[in-house]
Amino acid sequence: MSEQDGRAARDREAAHWFDDDAGPVVRPYAMTRGRTRTAAEGRLDLIALVIADGRADEAGCDQMLSPEHVEIVERCRQEPLSVAELAAGLDLPVGVVRVLIGDLLDADLVHVSRPVPPAELPDEKVLREVIDGLRAL
């Protein structure tokens, strides 16, 4: 086998493991610098809304932010999005998105609004009694 044939065989083998549709592949642990948790973990459930702060305009200029960080800020500047929506839109695992959002929280580029749990909502019966009492006045 000639050197050229050997190189061609290696190229075919390498091409077998490369997928053009996938584009550049970056492992999730590389995006999060090996971190799997963030200090804001308790505030970042799937339905928590991420909202871009006023300083969000600076995100594109910050050299410390990855393209994924900037993309999260850009998406949330258009409208508040839940953690689940961001993960789906970015095609990233939820755990990775949580860590990235935690970084953005630390940098004061976003804030998180958690919906009120159903158990903490006022009872409909109590509200009706209040309305009836107000009407009776």
Side-chain angles (χ1 to χ4, degrees), residues 30-45:
M31 283 183 230
T32 62
R33 297 181 204 115
R35 296 169 294 144
T36 58
R37 298 198 175 267
T38 179
E41 191 80 23
R43 298 179 10 207
L44 296 174
D45 57 0

Side-chain angles (χ1 to χ4, degrees), residues 1 4-19:
M1 179 185 283
Q4 188 175 11
D5 291 337
R7 191 175 322 136
R10 282 192 302 272
D11 289 346
R12 280 193 304 274
E13 188 175 313
H16 174 73
W17 293 104
F18 182 76
D19 184 1

Side-chain angles (χ1 to χ4, degrees), residues 9-115:
R10 282 192 302 272
D11 289 346
R12 280 193 304 274
E13 188 175 313
H16 174 73
W17 293 104
F18 182 76
D19 184 1
D20 288 330
D21 294 333
V25 179
V26 177
R27 298 280 182 216
Y29 62 81
M31 283 183 230
T32 62
R33 297 181 204 115
R35 296 169 294 144
T36 58
R37 298 198 175 267
T38 179
E41 191 80 23
R43 298 179 10 207
L44 296 174
D45 57 0
L46 292 175
I47 59 174
L49 291 177
V50 181
I51 304 158
D53 278 343
R55 290 189 46 226
D57 295 334
E58 303 167 14
C61 301
D62 191 340
Q63 298 296 319
M64 298 302 291
L65 296 178
S66 70
E68 291 80 17
H69 286 110
V70 175
E71 181 69 22
I72 289 171
V73 173
E74 290 297 321
R75 288 174 183 249
C76 293
R77 219 176 352 164
Q78 295 169 7
E79 65 178 321
L81 294 171
S82 70
V83 173
E85 289 172 317
L86 285 167
L90 295 168
D91 196 25
L92 292 173
V94 173
V96 170
V97 172
R98 283 182 175 151
V99 172
L100 296 174
I101 293 169
D103 294 343
L104 295 171
L105 283 167
D106 292 343
D108 293 326
L109 294 172
V110 298
H111 67 274
V112 174
S113 173
R114 293 181 56 195

